[in-house]
Amino acid sequence: MEQVIPLRLSVLGHPQRLAVFRLLMRRFPDRVPAGEISTALDVKPSTLSSYLSALMQAGLVTQTREGTWLYYQVDMGGMRETLDALMRDCCRGRPELCLPSTSPLPEPDKATMPSRPYNVLFICTGNSARSIIAECLLRSVGGGRFDVYSAGTLPSSRLNPFALEVLRSKGHDLSGLRAKNLGEFMGADAPRFDFVFTVCDQAANEECPTWEGQPISGHWGMPDPVKTEGTEAERSLAFQQAYGTLKNRILAFAALPLAELDRISLQNAVDDIARNH
């Protein structure tokens, strides 16, 4: 272990290798294909291969093969070992010295959520379909426990008509819905978010802001119904399926005993929803 930790720190000291690792951390627990990483970071496949090889040799990333496709995922065991070693050896077990000044000390035996309504933000690229559907769903099923928002990294000029029709047919209130830029939620007057979810892979692959208060984050990636081709009926079906997937996830999220769970348990529960729904 004494030799492994310097190797891992050296590997992560390379800016491009660190960028690969950060992308995989944002996508965890997903397994991400190499081609998607290459496209997201604008890195040549041959160069990316060397970065991934170094990360795997350091025990920070794992590789799996399905047919001709290679998928990569953060090795959370190796990551935790690294953080534990830094806390023991560098911080001498004194988290009050090493944690960021804006971060509260972890309280594993206490619920960390506020007594006010929970602020939840859903992010995708265009904020015209999936994140808008998620916003409406949680607002509908949350029973007043959530203040819900959505935004896009590159928002569309208008909401997708198929998404609006699905929401209208399900009885959702469409008043006030609009595509919003993520920047609207980054100012001093922005809500302090408790949960931030990305619902498309492209948004999750992008660098996101560091949110004040360190909200629980989750990636609930799913196919983009906007990209569906075919007849109007086939396109409408894609939006119905997206609505159903998001409804299952949001019902599971809204059913969590949020006030009773500590931060680690909440994060695990949010990740499990992405795996199981």
Side-chain angles (χ1 to χ4, degrees):
M1 183 61 66
E2 292 181 359
Q3 296 178 344
V4 170
I5 299 305
L7 171 62
R8 290 174 179 168
L9 294 178
S10 176
V11 167
L12 293 176
H14 186 281
Q16 281 71 46
R17 289 195 293 257
L18 178 61
V20 173
F21 183 77
R22 291 178 66 187
L23 185 152
L24 292 174
M25 280 296 298
R26 293 194 297 274
R27 290 291 300 276
F28 186 83
D30 285 4
R31 297 178 304 134
V32 185
E36 187 174 333
I37 302 172
S38 177
T39 299
L41 298 178
D42 193 22
V43 176
K44 293 180 180 179
S46 58
T47 304
L48 176 65
S49 178
S50 69
Y51 295 160
L52 289 167
S53 178
L55 289 164
M56 288 189 293
Q57 290 177 9
L60 292 168
V61 168
T62 62
Q63 178 194 81
T64 55
R65 179 184 292 273
E66 291 185 6
T68 59
W69 290 86
L70 293 175
Y71 294 84
Y72 297 88
Q73 183 183 50
V74 167
D75 186 332
M76 291 305 297
M79 184 60 180
R80 292 190 183 102
E81 286 178 355
T82 304
L83 294 175
D84 287 346
L86 289 172
M87 185 63 70
R88 288 193 309 270
D89 297 339
C90 298
C91 297
R92 297 295 188 231
R94 294 179 292 177
E96 71 277 6
L97 297 182
C98 293
L99 286 178
S101 59
T102 56
S103 300
L105 295 182
E107 298 180 77
D109 297 325
K110 295 182 180 180
T112 57
M113 293 291 101
S115 56
R116 58 169 170 74
Y118 304 107
N119 289 325
V120 181
L121 176 65
F122 292 100
I123 302 172
C124 66
T125 304
N127 191 213
S128 69
R130 286 166 291 180
S131 55
I132 288 288
I133 292 172
E135 176 185 350
C136 288
L137 274 165
L138 184 55
R139 188 174 292 132
S140 175
V141 306
R145 294 189 300 136
F146 303 95
D147 287 335
V148 193
Y149 308 84
S150 69
T153 55
L154 293 170
S156 302
S157 58
R158 68 187 185 101
L159 302 183
N160 186 280
F162 284 95
L164 293 177
E165 181 55 34
V166 169
L167 291 170
R168 188 178 293 110
S169 69
K170 304 294 184 182
H172 292 280
D173 180 8
L174 306 186
S175 61
L177 288 182
R178 63 182 177 88
K180 301 168 290 296
N181 192 294
L182 189 59
E184 291 188 26
F185 300 99
M186 296 168 59
D189 297 331
R192 184 184 179 97
F193 291 109
D194 304 298
F195 296 91
V196 175
F197 298 103
T198 50
V199 292
C200 75
D201 292 343
Q202 184 176 340
N205 289 343
E206 297 171 1
E207 290 285 352
C208 289
T210 300
W211 300 101
E212 183 180 354
Q214 296 182 312
I216 301 292
S217 62
H219 176 55
W220 290 354
M222 55 185 296
D224 186 359
V226 174
K227 295 182 178 179
T228 301
E229 299 180 351
T231 66
E232 184 169 323
E234 289 170 332
R235 296 173 68 191
S236 179
L237 177 60
F239 281 85
Q240 293 281 354
Q241 292 171 335
Y243 180 94
T245 297
L246 285 167
K247 182 176 182 179
N248 288 337
R249 292 176 178 178
I250 286 169
L251 285 173
F253 172 68
L256 293 174
L258 301 179
E260 301 173 15
L261 298 176
D262 59 72
R263 183 180 180 87
I264 293 174
S265 299
L266 277 172
Q267 186 65 68
N268 289 337
V270 164
D271 291 340
D272 285 343
I273 288 172
R275 296 187 188 101
N276 300 325
H277 297 276

